[in-house]
Amino acid sequence: FESELRERILGMVPHIVIGERGDGFSDWQSLEKKVLQHPDVEAAAPFIDAQAMFRNRGYTKYGLLQGILPNKEAEVSIVDDYMIAGELDSLKPGEYGIILGISMASSLGVSLGDKVTILLADGATVSPAGISPRYKRFTVVGIFEVKSELDGMLAMIHIKDAAALTRKGNKVSSLRVTTNNVLNAAYTAFELRDIVGDRYYVSDWNYTHGTLFKAVQMEKKMMFILLAFIIAVAAFNIVSTLVMVVTDKQSDIAILRTLGASPSTIMKIFVVQGSLNGIIGTIIGVIGGVALATNLADVVAFIEELWGVQ
């Protein structure tokens, strides 16, 4: 479970983000060269991000809009491996294409070729009548599914289209960095602060998703304790059952001893009995456990239908 979380969430979320306080920066290429000098850094890519509202035929969805360079994004993200329709290279500058997560696409009722209107507060037009958000219609050119929360809150467009929409010109919001050891990202970020200097801020995924993985670690510890108690109870049941069998069979043991059976032979009889109980129980448990796990959704649906509960 932790491995799947790490792959699907941290494969999409930046391991490290480097940015400049304010409206962004334009010399991201020189910053990228500095960052790639660190031995633990695998790749880096610029992006523009903004909170946005997505609309289509009366359906509305709020989420995060990211402007990306498709060829660079493929180096720092797993999204290209989880495209279920279209491809990352379908994002072309000036064509205003957009890639959505499957949950967001489903909420908006769109598929490939449909139009989505994006409204942004960033770069809004100020007039005597008030503040008017910027909006632009985009064409859906791709849909991804990583089976995480990002499926319902993330949309991607080309970085040049994002710059035009947010009026950033040739600036980018931040530089996304991918490391070869995601669990060591905090230490790598600490070292990168010395490389990039005080002009930039450096943060890692622990600031955004650290709480989630701490909860997973706590859950693993609790599961270990619970399983230890379950195993202890099962072992006690087996031992107590064998002790009761020995007590119940004292007369039979005496007969066997009278007929010439040695203590080791009698011990082997009970060892074999205990082993058979363990082996048969293990086989039944494995078959039953696998069958239940693979059909859990159907079992839950059957119980809900049978008892009228959810």
Side-chain angles (χ1 to χ4, degrees):
F1 178 59
E2 184 181 18
S3 175
E4 285 293 307
L5 279 179
R6 187 183 304 123
E7 177 185 351
R8 296 181 183 272
I9 294 182
L10 298 184
M12 295 287 291
V13 172
H15 296 177
I16 298 174
V17 173
I18 303 176
E20 187 180 57
R21 293 172 179 84
D23 196 34
F25 55 96
S26 57
D27 55 340
W28 63 267
Q29 291 90 345
S30 60
L31 180 62
E32 179 186 22
K33 290 179 181 178
K34 290 182 180 179
V35 168
L36 291 177
Q37 293 175 1
H38 194 286
D40 291 336
V41 173
E42 288 187 346
F47 69 93
I48 296 174
D49 61 340
Q51 296 293 327
M53 182 172 70
F54 306 87
R55 297 185 63 184
N56 175 60
R57 293 179 295 184
Y59 297 103
T60 302
K61 184 76 175 178
Y62 297 92
L64 178 66
L65 180 67
Q66 277 192 354
I68 63 170
L69 280 173
N71 59 329
K72 289 281 188 181
E73 189 69 17
E75 298 176 2
V76 298
S77 170
I78 63 171
V79 64
D80 200 33
D81 299 326
Y82 289 91
M83 296 293 296
I84 60 175
E87 55 186 14
L88 202 59
D89 291 334
S90 300
L91 295 177
K92 305 292 183 182
E95 295 185 3
Y96 293 98
I98 187 170
I99 295 176
L100 302 173
I102 187 170
S103 298
M104 181 180 289
S106 178
S107 299
L108 296 173
V110 297
S111 58
L112 287 183
D114 292 337
K115 300 288 185 179
V116 174
T117 301
I118 297 179
L119 288 88
L120 285 183
D122 292 346
T125 303
V126 181
S127 66
I131 300 176
S132 301
R134 293 181 61 82
Y135 64 92
K136 181 69 179 178
R137 286 178 65 81
F138 283 74
T139 303
V140 179
V141 296
I143 297 175
F144 66 86
E145 182 182 17
V146 295
K147 298 186 184 299
S148 75
E149 59 183 1
L150 297 174
D151 289 341
M153 59 179 292
L154 181 62
M156 297 179 175
I157 61 177
H158 197 279
I159 195 168
K160 290 188 177 180
D161 295 340
L165 191 60
T166 58
R167 295 183 175 178
K168 285 188 177 294
N170 61 347
K171 294 182 178 181
V172 300
S173 299
S174 305
L175 190 71
R176 169 178 179 157
V177 178
T178 297
T179 64
N180 53 27
N181 184 1
V182 64
L183 298 181
N184 200 36
Y187 183 72
T188 304
F190 178 78
E191 294 182 333
L192 286 177
R193 290 186 182 96
D194 295 331
I195 295 177
V196 301
D198 296 335
R199 175 185 170 187
Y200 302 96
Y201 69 85
V202 182
S203 64
D204 61 272
W205 64 267
N206 289 283
Y207 288 99
T208 56
H209 290 77
T211 304
L212 172 62
F213 285 89
K214 288 179 182 177
V216 172
Q217 290 291 338
M218 178 62 70
E219 183 180 8
K220 288 176 65 177
K221 292 178 182 178
M222 294 304 299
M223 288 298 295
F224 173 81
I225 295 173
L226 291 174
L227 289 174
F229 277 119
I230 292 173
I231 294 171
V233 170
F236 177 78
N237 286 338
I238 293 174
V239 172
S240 62
T241 300
L242 290 176
V243 170
M244 291 174 63
V245 169
V246 172
T247 303
D248 186 54
K249 299 293 184 180
Q250 283 185 350
S251 58
D252 300 297
I253 294 172
I255 295 173
L256 290 174
R257 292 282 288 131
T258 303
L259 294 174
S262 64
S264 60
T265 300
I266 295 174
M267 181 180 291
K268 289 177 182 177
I269 293 173
F270 290 101
V271 169
V272 170
Q273 181 187 3
S275 300
L276 283 175
N277 285 340
I279 293 171
I280 294 173
T282 300
I283 293 174
I284 294 174
V286 168
I287 294 174
V290 171
L292 179 62
T294 53
N295 298 282
L296 188 59
D298 296 332
V299 172
V300 171
F302 173 76
I303 294 174
E304 290 180 341
E305 183 178 358
L306 182 66
W307 298 101
V309 296
Q310 289 189 347

